[in-house]
Amino acid sequence: MGKLDNKVAFITGAGSGMGKAQSVLFAKEGAKVIAADINFDGVQKVVDQIKADGGEAVAIEIDVSKKSSVATAVDKGLEEFGRIDILSNTAGILDGYAPTLETSEELWDRIMNINLKGVYQVTNAVLPQMIERGDGIVINIASIAAFVAGGGGAAYTAAKHGIAGFTKQLSFDYGSKGIRANAIAPGAIETGMTKEIFAEGSAEVMESVNSVPAGRYGQPEEIANVALFLASDDSSFMHGAIVPVDGGWLVK
Ligand SMILES: NC(=O)c1ccc[n+]([C@@H]2O[C@H](COP(=O)([O-])OP(=O)(O)OC[C@H]3O[C@@H](n4cnc5c(N)ncnc54)[C@H](O)[C@@H]3O)[C@@H](O)[C@H]2O)c1
């Protein structure tokens, strides 16, 4: 028996990195997965892999920053599997570690629209049918940049702090209606987002990556394992937590 048997999970950013790892793991644990990403080819490959392993999944194109795209994607997911029990807001982009004076208005808006407004928009599209059933899980992928500076630039850090606040307020407002919302704060994880940085990173960036107690960067599967815990009844008393999974980054 899987930990997510009979559950339907909607995962954004599912075409790569942590979203892909969650999609594969959740399907392995019995969930039907709606794998959504702006990169349709990427997410289709993930779904092909899940199906080849005997799981159930559908690939859907979504741009989390666009309300109409979000509405269409969520409708398609609901049409396919009838409901959404678990939402993982994973899609996100990096801002090149730009300090505020080097952050153009365009970059600021792009980061906010994808990393923060995207979380709000997808949550609002999925939440009503969860509340109607009195049951639902929301997992938001924040970052150590939700706690400290240096995990991104001005816009990224502001957006990730915003995700932490949004997650807490979501719990506060809807916990009593059966919704459990929590966030994960990953440290440095080897994904599409960071591969180049780790390969060619400045000494300063690599120093912060390697000086964590774990002495290494993490793998997306190590985030997916914690997301599975938050998605399952194993975490039944957890509401509004922002859980660091960071190799110890935050102890510094
Ligand atoms: N990799 C790290 O070290 C790290 C650390 C902390 C937090 N995070 C966060 O983890 C999350 C996942 O990132 P990852 O490291 O797996 O990166 P990734 O680049 O491997 O995956 C991100 C996915 O999001 C998708 N995406 C980008 N913009 C989108 C949009 N507008 N709509 C829908 N999908 C979109 C991309 O196509 C990609 O498939 C992000 O929110 C990121 O900020 C990453």
Side-chain angles (χ1 to χ4, degrees):
M1 222 182 92
K3 281 185 189 282
L4 302 180
D5 281 345
N6 304 317
K7 300 288 184 190
V8 178
F10 189 102
I11 300 173
T12 72
S16 172
M18 298 177 209
K20 176 182 174 181
Q22 289 173 80
S23 300
V24 169
L25 181 62
F26 285 16
K28 213 175 267 174
E29 290 291 338
K32 294 174 186 161
V33 173
I34 302 159
D37 202 290
I38 199 166
N39 173 6
F40 185 73
D41 289 347
V43 85
Q44 185 62 60
K45 281 192 192 120
V46 174
V47 165
D48 290 345
Q49 184 186 327
I50 290 172
K51 286 182 171 168
D53 292 342
E56 263 189 88
V58 62
I60 289 183
E61 188 171 341
I62 191 173
D63 180 347
V64 298
S65 68
K66 301 223 160 67
K67 197 175 176 184
S68 60
S69 170
V70 169
T72 306
V74 170
D75 283 353
K76 274 191 195 160
L78 287 171
E79 253 168 52
E80 187 75 23
F81 291 135
R83 54 173 214 281
I84 297 167
D85 303 290
I86 301 159
L87 166 63
S88 174
N89 284 305
T90 301
I93 57 167
L94 204 50
D95 64 355
Y97 298 88
T100 189
L101 288 177
E102 287 157 41
T103 301
S104 64
E105 188 179 350
E106 192 194 355
L107 177 61
W108 178 270
D109 287 346
R110 196 166 137 69
I111 296 294
M112 287 299 159
N113 285 338
I114 295 174
N115 289 10
L116 186 53
K117 191 176 174 190
V119 172
Y120 147 79
Q121 287 193 147
V122 181
T123 303
N124 276 10
V126 170
L127 202 55
Q129 49 90 45
M130 287 179 170
I131 289 172
E132 215 170 279
R133 286 193 311 278
D135 190 30
I137 301 278
V138 180
I139 300 161
N140 295 325
I141 302 298
S143 166
I144 41 122
F147 292 99
V148 293
Y156 188 85
T157 302
K160 293 299 186 180
H161 271 69
I163 291 180
F166 181 77
T167 306
K168 291 174 195 172
Q169 193 66 41
L170 197 58
S171 300
F172 183 84
D173 291 331
Y174 299 108
S176 62
K177 296 185 167 61
I179 307 302
R180 280 202 310 112
N182 293 286
I184 296 176
I189 311 296
E190 189 179 28
T191 66
M193 179 179 280
T194 51
K195 254 183 188 141
E196 271 177 34
I197 300 171
F198 295 167
E200 308 158 11
S202 68
E204 199 187 345
V205 170
M206 290 320 289
E207 165 63 16
S208 14
V209 169
N210 290 322
S211 67
V212 297
R216 62 173 176 88
Y217 42 74
Q219 293 302 320
E221 291 74 19
E222 296 179 285
I223 302 301
N225 288 336
V226 178
L228 172 63
F229 170 69
L230 293 176
S232 75
D233 289 342
D234 289 347
S235 60
S236 51
F237 201 50
M238 288 183 71
H239 286 255
I242 318 297
V243 184
V245 186
D246 62 351
W249 184 300
L250 291 172
V251 304
K252 288 186 281 180

